[in-house]
Amino acid sequence: GLSLHFVMVERQKKRVQAAPKTAHGRYWRWFLVATRWAAIGAFGFITFSVVWIGLYRFINPPTTYLMATTAWSGARVARRAVPIEAVAPVLWQTIIGAEDSRFCSHLGIDLEAVDEAREEAEDGGRVRGASTISQQTAKNAFLWPGRNYLRKGFEAYFTVLMEALWPKRRIMEIYLNIVELGPGIFGAEAAAQHFFHRAARDLSPHQAALLAAVLPNPRLFHVERPSAYVLDRAGVLEARAETVRNEGFASCILGPQAKHGLARRKPRHH
């Protein structure tokens, strides 16, 4: 009886001593399983996003989140995708002057503009965005509207990947076909037809400036009933477009023949 008692006590001690080791091993196995599935998920997401962005280099987005939600709400959606050759150069020159003057020189995220916006906010100025045309294209083509850090993180990821897989000309082409320029009016061609009853290739400098002037908020500012602010901004943007053209800030979008002509027009320094 006494020996049996001692055996039972020893077994109980061993079980107590083994319990932490068993729990530790179980938690470790769970960690390994979770890590493996996280790695599989990350690899799947990266593969999917690379394929998705790669496809859009050659085909136009069939829709976007904003287009789909606008249509779902019952509002009319107008859109007509066209190649960049069918858009007046003055429009994308004006948009570069309005939204992203360093479009051709940055790699998707303009760190200099981010620093300038941060310093302006710290000095008590108004908080302004520093999103580039590339970032706006990534947001419009692949993501949803929003200002939270999760969405901003995805935006940065898609922007960098898009810049790696697309030429600047394609980024601008997609931008011009999916940007909202009026309530439910997406893309340069649909906007030109709706507001000016002409093709995007026939836009005048003033008409291009009016379209670019509403880009901060095309549901608040109007092309067909421009406020004093929109008219003033359009005048400024017309002048900026001339600078963009003269300084070659849009050279990354020009075709080979246009680039050759631009190079020939540049003054020679002796």
Side-chain angles (χ1 to χ4, degrees), residues 238-255:
E238 278 193 70
R240 284 191 193 173
E242 187 70 23
T243 301
V244 169
R245 192 159 45 249
N246 292 338
E247 297 296 326
F249 292 159
S251 59
C252 60
I253 307 174
L254 299 173

Side-chain angles (χ1 to χ4, degrees), residues 52-70:
W52 191 8
I53 294 173
L55 282 174
Y56 279 7
R57 176 170 179 174
F58 304 102
I59 64 172
N60 291 320
T63 188
T64 66
Y65 180 92
L66 187 56
M67 290 180 197
T69 54
T70 300

Side-chain angles (χ1 to χ4, degrees), residues 90 93-99 205 208-216 230-244:
V90 69
Q93 290 163 352
T94 307
I95 287 174
I96 286 177
E99 298 288 296
L210 283 174
L211 291 175
V214 304
L215 280 176
V230 171
L231 290 173
D232 289 345
R233 179 168 165 79
V236 171
L237 295 182
E238 278 193 70
R240 284 191 193 173
E242 187 70 23
T243 301
V244 169

Side-chain angles (χ1 to χ4, degrees), residues 3-17:
S3 61
L4 179 61
H5 172 73
F6 280 117
V7 170
M8 296 294 293
V9 170
E10 288 299 319
R11 287 180 177 177
Q12 182 65 26
K13 286 181 179 180
K14 290 179 179 179
R15 281 197 293 268
V16 171
Q17 292 173 354

Side-chain angles (χ1 to χ4, degrees), residues 42-55 157-158 161:
F43 177 77
F45 173 73
I46 292 171
T47 302
F48 173 75
S49 56
V50 168
V51 171
W52 191 8
I53 294 173
L55 282 174
Y157 168 78
F158 275 94
L161 196 56

